[in-house]
Amino acid sequence: PMGNLKDILNTYKKFMSRLTSHVIQQISVQISSALIYLHSNRIIYRDLKADNILVWKFPQPNQFITITNTSHASSYNSQ
């Protein structure tokens, strides 16, 4: 991976670079998709933050992220 999302965003901030709305939208969609996948498998992720999102490609084309640190995840039973 290139690093975590927090470090990459801090690098952009340091050099006063801006992310396009498309890039921000793509990141949001991928994080949302990952959470939907976890929830569909009855897993609740409780430590979502930029430190725990690994970035494989950035910013374009086709950003690829991975949610990490699953020690703060737990399964649940629906009633």
Side-chain angles (χ1 to χ4, degrees), residues 4 6 8-9 12 14 34 40 44 47 52 61 67 75-76:
N4 65 47
K6 180 180 178 180
I8 290 172
L9 293 177
Y12 269 75
K14 178 180 175 181
S40 71
I44 300 171
D47 195 29
N52 293 338
I67 294 177
S75 62
Y76 66 94

Side-chain angles (χ1 to χ4, degrees), residues 63-74:
Q63 296 87 323
F64 182 73
I65 59 103
T66 303
I67 294 177
T68 63
N69 193 5
T70 55
S71 63
H72 288 88
S74 60

Side-chain angles (χ1 to χ4, degrees), residues 1-72:
M2 293 176 60
N4 65 47
L5 184 59
K6 180 180 178 180
D7 292 342
I8 290 172
L9 293 177
N10 283 337
T11 300
Y12 269 75
K13 184 177 178 180
K14 178 180 175 181
F15 293 106
M16 292 186 238
S17 298
R18 293 183 178 255
L19 297 175
T20 66
S21 58
H22 178 72
V23 170
I24 295 168
Q25 180 184 24
Q26 290 298 97
I27 293 167
S28 299
V29 166
Q30 288 190 25
I31 293 169
S32 297
S33 295
L35 290 174
I36 289 169
Y37 173 80
L38 291 173
H39 290 175
S40 71
N41 286 286
R42 305 168 74 95
I43 297 170
I44 300 171
Y45 188 81
R46 300 179 294 174
D47 195 29
L48 185 61
K49 58 187 176 187
D51 290 322
N52 293 338
I53 298 173
L54 292 181
V55 178
W56 296 87
K57 295 180 183 177
F58 198 85
Q60 288 182 341
N62 304 317
Q63 296 87 323
F64 182 73
I65 59 103
T66 303
I67 294 177
T68 63
N69 193 5
T70 55
S71 63
H72 288 88

